[in-house]
Amino acid sequence: MSGDQIDGGSRFNDSHKHKDKYKEKEHKHKDHKKDKEREKSKHGNSNHKDPSDKKHRDNEKEKMKHKDGSTDKYKDKHKEKKVNYHAHNSLKKAHMVVHAILLPLLNFPPQVKSEPEDNFYHSPKNEKSLKRERDDDNDSEFKPKKIKTENDKKAKKRKQEEDIKPKKTKNKREVTDGKKKAKKEPEEKWKWWEEERYTDGSKWKFLEHKGPVFAPPYEPLPSNVKFYYDGKHMKLSPEAEEVATFFAKMLDHEYTTKDIFRKNFFKDWRKEMNAEEKAKLTDLKKCNFTEMSEYFKAQSEARKAMTKDEKLKIKEENERLLQEYGFCIMDNHRERIANFRIEPPGLFRGRGDHPKMGMLKRRIRPKDIIINCSKDSKHPEPPPGTKWKEVRHDNKVTWLVSWTENIQGSIKYIMLNPSSRIKGEKDWQKYETARRLKKCVDRIRTQYHEDWKSKEMRIRQRAVALYFIDKLALRAGNEKEEGETADTVGCCSLRVEHIKLYPENDGQEYVVEFDFLGKDSIRYYNKVPVEKRVFKNLQLFMENKEPDDDLFDRLNTSVLNKHLQELMDGLTAKVFRTYNASITLQQQLKQLTSADENLPAKILSYNRANRAVAILCNHQRAPPKTFEKSMQNLQTKIDAKRDQLSDAKRELKSAKADAKVRRDEKSKKAVETKKKAVQRIEEQLMKLEVQATDREENKQIALGTSKLNYLDPRISVAWCKKWGIPVEKIYNKTQREKFAWAIDMADEDFEF
DNA sequence: CTATGGACTTAGGAGAGGGTGG
DNA sequence: CCACCCTCTCCTAAGTCCATAG
């Protein structure tokens, strides 16, 4: 959904754009929240009051913003906030089509009805991992709370000892193997998942690294690359020039035409100018960056045209940098760092309709950097002549480096790669929590069905919201600071304008139409029939509200999560996404895979199962720019293959006829050869066709996100093992590194 | 409580890199 | 061998959720 979909027209906007008097509007949502509290005890069913009665309350709070000093400046702006749909009709259509194709396969909500109490039949091996897994979970449960007492520790140790035996044997085997190969693979893969974990809340005992790699310094443009203002050449100071180049590099992008972008950019650019420049450059429209832009284009061409040697040199240099800065030592192991390079300066581009787009993202210097490492490690050196902001030794966190970013005032971190122990353990634990949800999800569902009838409004709202989160895999929906970010919502922050109710629609009763922008301003559009009770509740929640009022005015994520916590230890809203995604994959795989299919067909089935999840989670992507063309190419290939096939068939026929007449060895052999050829071509054709189907169905669906973040990798690994499919067909190298734990421990009867 | 800060996960897009077919 | 195309990797924004300050 690139350029063409951005914008699209403000659907919801202006209806109330002007009607409110500044502050009022801003406070509306918050006011609702207050209402909630006040009414808590009232259990009014329908006594929703007009929020306006308390508009003034929040005024003072409103004033304290800060972060980058931009306090109130957006206060007015955000009022114009509108929903500029980003993902558009095209998308909508396709999305629905896909639903039509795939949704029948999914029967969402209570899919889990009668799960066996889980893992009865497990091989000893599984038993073992399960045990450890539970421990892990306990860990996580304890951690946030203050409990981790001595007792717990001991208990855990004890438990762990129980499975030490199988572990040991395994380890030994590994070790010997390792020795054998020691020369070839000096770095035997470390199986952190076979080791104990910290139970005291610390994340490591030893941490040593070399600090971040800074962005290369600015190199002024050669003097023949000129900037013009109002048609006249003007030499810029290096500071101003650098910022100008940021803009020049984006010239082809649509957003340099956007008002907000231009306004933010120009404002920040002026801050970097010297007095003279400031006085002279007063209108961005009169600035001509084209020479700069051409220059950068030429540079990138030149880079592409480099000789092999030059490219190799660069590659080697990168490798050197990676080896030096891309790893750290954490607790006796050399682990890969995810992002060891500091983000270079540039112009901020938020996603969707972001109020801060175009602002200058400033250069990060050593004095902005906080280093985290262990006391007894060799501390990273700041570049000559500079100092770190701070060096600390906090082993309760996982980051190595942090700094504060200037656009939102938030903190950025350098952390480890997903293949690292510290990330892997957490990931594993996440899936274990989801598996625990599996065991009690029926109970929870029963309860929220009950709660739809509650006397208390807040409970009804909570129950309906939870139903959406469970059934539709919506995100929690934290509230956001208005005017600081794009206007997007999740479940708890849905507004009245985001849903439409149809007592009857297309032959279905009680249909709810969702249409809102979610994370990353990706549009969520869906029409779902719901239970009558949900429908009636929604009508109730919407009574007497404006379109931009909160749908769930007595609910927020923290209330919801508090409730979830009571239902199950460690349960939060996002666990439902993980759970529903993983369970859907497992079901779909069961349903779609058939034993007699060949490998490509099995993989298509896998991808379809994956796709069902991606659709559930609304993971969209812009259709690749070359999509149509590449589809055509593929079709051409298919046609060619078809021709080839009929040729081959014809040849086979004649060979057969020939053999019948001649009845000699030679012609018999010829028949065999032709037969083989036909078969081979048939297979190739089939493969191409499958590929075409897969690609077509995948046009605007992104599989990666769910694969990486929501699907318990053990499900996929088990599936591969069950059907004799190499994991490499499912996971690429990075993914295999990230999921090494699962690849190692899941066997074919793993059940999520 | 509520607001804010902090840490960590989840997200889509850009562009590099590498394989493939002509 | 080159152009093209696809996949993967990197990049960093945008969420979630918890802790803590006021």
Side-chain angles (χ1 to χ4, degrees):
Chain A
M1 60 218 72
S2 41
D4 49 323
Q5 303 175 346
I6 297 187
D7 167 71
S10 23
R11 288 242 224 138
F12 293 163
N13 51 355
D14 0 285
S15 48
H16 33 262
K17 185 149 65 175
H18 303 115
K19 74 178 176 203
D20 19 74
K21 356 208 139 100
Y22 325 97
K23 300 280 160 149
E24 278 202 359
K25 172 82 164 253
E26 276 139 39
H27 299 150
K28 251 190 181 165
H29 298 177
K30 286 189 188 160
D31 291 333
H32 275 310
K33 304 264 141 73
K34 291 239 163 126
D35 276 354
K36 310 174 185 179
E37 298 317 319
R38 260 196 315 171
E39 311 251 347
K40 225 184 267 178
S41 46
K42 274 198 177 168
H43 2 85
N45 265 354
S46 57
N47 50 357
H48 254 115
K49 26 182 50 172
D50 182 334
S52 56
D53 66 345
K54 356 190 13 239
K55 293 233 167 99
H56 46 285
R57 278 226 198 157
D58 285 326
N59 271 346
E60 315 102 283
K61 287 178 194 158
E62 202 52 29
K63 288 184 192 134
M64 11 196 334
K65 292 278 143 78
H66 54 192
K67 291 207 162 166
D68 58 348
S70 58
T71 12
D72 289 345
K73 70 182 135 180
Y74 293 114
K75 282 301 133 149
D76 302 339
K77 214 188 284 175
H78 83 274
K79 238 164 296 118
E80 312 159 5
K81 114 197 131 191
K82 46 198 81 172
V83 181
N84 263 1
Y85 277 142
H86 175 198
H88 276 290
N89 292 331
S90 56
L91 217 177
K92 168 173 174 179
K93 238 190 295 170
H95 192 209
M96 292 193 305
V97 170
V98 178
H99 270 273
I101 298 170
L102 285 172
L103 283 186
L105 302 173
L106 312 169
N107 48 343
F108 287 124
Q111 313 122 314
V112 196
K113 276 288 150 56
S114 51
E115 295 305 333
E117 233 327 79
D118 198 41
N119 358 304
F120 277 126
Y121 25 81
H122 267 100
S123 65
K125 190 178 165 201
N126 244 356
E127 198 62 53
K128 173 193 121 200
S129 38
L130 283 167
K131 241 181 231 157
R132 207 175 314 115
E133 287 150 18
R134 292 217 186 89
D135 287 351
D136 298 331
D137 257 337
N138 289 343
D139 279 357
S140 75
E141 286 151 18
F142 287 139
K143 253 171 239 159
K145 321 202 164 167
K146 54 274 152 162
I147 310 176
K148 54 196 147 166
T149 60
E150 199 48 37
N151 272 346
D152 291 323
K153 260 193 212 165
K154 277 182 189 153
K156 226 152 278 155
K157 282 254 165 67
R158 212 182 332 106
K159 266 193 195 166
Q160 231 128 17
E161 265 147 41
E162 285 169 15
D163 33 52
I164 235 164
K165 263 181 239 155
K167 227 197 296 182
K168 266 192 181 156
T169 40
K170 211 171 180 186
N171 272 341
K172 237 174 234 163
R173 201 179 54 234
E174 297 304 330
V175 170
T176 42
D177 281 1
K179 267 180 198 155
K180 255 184 261 162
K181 298 184 208 163
K183 277 209 177 126
K184 270 190 184 165
E185 295 170 51
E187 292 160 48
E188 184 59 22
K189 295 274 178 328
W190 170 40
K191 300 192 174 182
W192 51 258
W193 51 94
E194 294 179 348
E195 295 192 11
E196 281 182 34
R197 302 195 177 182
Y198 290 117
T199 54
D200 59 356
S202 65
K203 305 290 169 66
W204 44 264
K205 293 286 178 244
F206 180 81
L207 172 61
E208 179 171 292
H209 59 91
K210 301 271 278 187
V213 173
F214 289 94
Y218 178 64
E219 286 183 32
L221 295 170
S223 55
N224 62 328
V225 179
K226 296 187 183 107
F227 167 78
Y228 301 91
Y229 186 72
D230 209 5
K232 289 185 280 291
H233 170 226
M234 181 171 170
K235 176 76 187 157
L236 297 171
S237 64
E239 292 77 17
E241 186 189 86
E242 179 177 11
V243 179
T245 64
F246 298 151
F247 193 83
K249 282 176 183 167
M250 300 171 120
L251 225 47
D252 291 338
H253 236 111
E254 193 211 354
Y255 45 72
T256 53
T257 63
K258 293 194 171 181
D259 270 2
I260 302 178
F261 189 95
R262 297 175 66 89
K263 207 175 118 218
N264 287 335
F265 162 72
F266 198 55
K267 189 168 158 213
D268 281 2
W269 187 25
R270 287 180 58 81
K271 289 183 204 155
E272 304 300 313
M273 295 175 187
N274 60 32
E276 194 193 338
E277 288 162 340
K278 224 178 244 173
K280 214 165 159 191
L281 305 176
T282 53
D283 185 359
L284 181 54
K285 280 202 287 293
K286 294 180 178 163
C287 295
N288 180 345
F289 301 93
T290 46
E291 275 193 23
M292 291 185 189
S293 173
E294 295 303 324
Y295 172 71
F296 292 121
K297 276 183 214 160
Q299 292 252 301
S300 91
E301 285 309 308
R303 227 171 301 129
K304 273 184 216 155
M306 281 187 305
T307 65
K308 267 194 183 141
D309 261 16
E310 291 170 311
K311 280 185 183 168
L312 190 67
K313 235 180 179 174
I314 291 177
K315 205 178 163 187
E316 276 167 0
E317 172 60 12
N318 275 332
E319 181 60 24
R320 198 188 60 74
L321 222 56
L322 173 68
Q323 289 305 325
E324 180 167 6
Y325 294 95
F327 292 83
C328 71
I329 306 289
M330 185 176 275
D331 295 347
N332 298 320
H333 294 275
R334 186 165 180 259
E335 302 241 54
R336 179 84 190 267
I337 298 169
N339 55 326
F340 58 92
R341 283 170 215 272
I342 299 275
E343 299 172 17
L347 302 184
F348 176 81
R349 167 59 181 168
R351 301 180 193 173
D353 218 347
H354 198 116
K356 299 193 172 188
M357 66 170 79
M359 284 175 63
L360 174 63
K361 214 173 98 161
R362 61 160 233 288
R363 179 179 292 272
I364 304 301
R365 303 195 154 74
K367 65 176 183 354
D368 304 310
I369 295 288
I370 301 175
I371 298 285
N372 192 32
C373 62
S374 51
K375 262 194 200 117
D376 57 344
S377 73
K378 191 164 162 265
H379 299 190
E381 289 294 329
T386 65
K387 280 191 171 154
W388 302 125
K389 180 177 180 185
E390 184 190 336
V391 175
R392 66 171 77 156
H393 312 290
D394 181 357
N395 77 344
K396 301 283 187 272
V397 296
T398 66
W399 53 267
L400 321 186
V401 173
S402 76
W403 72 92
T404 300
E405 152 269 351
N406 68 304
I407 303 290
Q408 317 278 355
S410 64
I411 307 171
K412 300 254 187 171
Y413 303 93
I414 291 182
M415 292 184 183
L416 295 195
N417 197 67
S419 62
S420 61
R421 182 212 101 222
I422 216 160
K423 293 292 182 189
E425 278 179 353
K426 201 83 185 295
D427 203 38
W428 178 12
Q429 191 176 276
K430 171 181 78 186
Y431 292 113
E432 289 312 313
T433 306
R435 293 173 84 198
R436 282 192 293 120
L437 172 57
K438 178 183 174 179
K439 293 181 196 153
C440 62
V441 73
D442 287 341
R443 192 189 88 221
I444 291 170
R445 284 171 176 159
T446 311
Q447 171 159 9
Y448 70 60
H449 277 244
E450 270 317 295
D451 287 347
W452 292 341
K453 301 179 255 181
S454 170
K455 287 179 297 195
E456 280 187 73
M457 181 61 94
R458 60 175 190 98
I459 292 182
R460 288 196 188 203
Q461 292 193 354
R462 196 178 68 192
V464 171
L466 184 51
Y467 167 75
F468 286 161
I469 284 170
D470 183 20
K471 182 187 173 80
L472 305 173
L474 300 190
R475 295 188 185 81
N478 286 311
E479 40 286 64
K480 315 167 61 184
E481 254 178 296
E482 270 178 277
E484 297 290 301
T485 61
D487 176 30
T488 62
V489 299
C491 185
C492 293
S493 49
L494 280 170
R495 299 192 293 265
V496 168
E497 64 198 351
H498 295 131
I499 67 170
K500 273 191 194 147
L501 303 180
Y502 301 95
E504 201 257 298
N505 183 285
D506 291 336
Q508 290 177 307
E509 281 190 307
Y510 308 122
V511 172
V512 185
E513 180 185 52
F514 292 82
D515 193 348
F516 60 89
L517 298 184
K519 183 177 178 179
D520 292 320
S521 293
I522 295 292
R523 183 183 185 192
Y524 183 92
Y525 180 85
N526 201 0
K527 266 186 186 175
V528 271
V530 300
E531 281 83 341
K532 179 173 179 187
R533 219 166 222 123
V534 171
F535 195 86
K536 295 288 172 200
N537 271 317
L538 288 171
Q539 286 179 322
L540 184 64
F541 303 160
M542 291 165 79
E543 245 168 45
N544 300 317
K545 285 192 194 168
E546 298 293 321
D548 62 336
D549 287 338
D550 285 349
L551 176 63
F552 301 116
D553 53 288
R554 287 163 209 215
L555 183 71
N556 61 39
T557 52
S558 110
V559 169
L560 177 65
N561 281 335
K562 222 161 272 159
H563 174 239
L564 293 176
Q565 189 60 234
E566 286 161 15
L567 298 179
M568 185 193 103
D569 209 355
L571 187 60
T572 62
K574 85 188 185 85
V575 178
F576 281 89
R577 255 167 98 80
T578 311
Y579 161 70
N580 280 121
S582 286
I583 201 76
T584 300
L585 178 77
Q586 187 168 81
Q587 276 181 180
Q588 289 293 298
L589 284 177
K590 255 181 209 156
Q591 207 174 107
L592 298 174
T593 318
S594 63
D596 45 352
E597 284 173 332
N598 60 13
L599 189 107
K602 285 214 177 72
I603 288 172
L604 176 63
S605 296
Y606 180 89
N607 286 341
R608 283 183 158 158
N610 192 164
R611 199 136 50 227
V613 175
I615 289 167
L616 174 66
C617 294
N618 199 39
H619 292 143
Q620 301 186 16
R621 62 166 184 173
K625 285 195 179 65
T626 54
F627 185 83
E628 292 309 327
K629 209 172 106 199
S630 89
M631 237 21 228
Q632 256 168 25
N633 288 163
L634 196 53
Q635 194 54 51
T636 315
K637 272 195 208 166
I638 290 175
D639 293 342
K641 211 31 106 182
R642 286 225 172 93
D643 292 346
Q644 199 188 337
L645 180 62
S646 49
D647 288 352
K649 277 184 173 164
R650 204 175 316 116
E651 281 178 40
L652 173 61
K653 233 182 189 169
S654 72
K656 270 183 179 166
D658 197 38
K660 224 174 187 175
V661 180
R662 297 222 223 159
R663 297 190 166 278
D664 63 352
E665 272 310 303
K666 203 179 163 194
S667 53
K668 253 190 207 164
K669 232 177 202 162
V671 172
E672 283 311 305
T673 329
K674 299 286 178 203
K675 230 182 221 166
K676 286 247 170 73
V678 169
Q679 259 172 24
R680 202 187 57 231
I681 294 166
E682 264 172 347
E683 219 159 83
Q684 287 168 341
L685 176 61
M686 158 98 156
K687 203 170 156 188
L688 286 174
E689 280 171 335
V690 162
Q691 200 185 345
T693 314
D694 206 11
R695 196 181 296 175
E696 182 65 47
E697 286 176 6
N698 228 24
K699 184 171 180 185
Q700 43 203 168
I701 297 173
L703 301 186
T705 306
S706 50
K707 200 186 248 189
L708 233 47
N709 300 300
Y710 288 102
L711 301 175
D712 188 329
R714 290 168 297 182
I715 298 170
S716 301
V717 171
W719 180 83
C720 285
K721 290 188 178 164
K722 178 166 182 191
W723 300 106
I725 291 166
V727 247
E728 296 77 42
K729 300 279 178 197
I730 299 300
Y731 290 137
N732 68 31
K733 185 162 143 291
T734 323
Q735 296 168 157
R736 291 197 300 279
E737 278 165 13
K738 170 168 180 176
F739 297 135
W741 58 275
I743 294 172
D744 183 57
M745 75 169 81
D747 59 31
E748 72 167 72
D749 6 270
F750 172 83
E751 279 273 332
F752 176 76

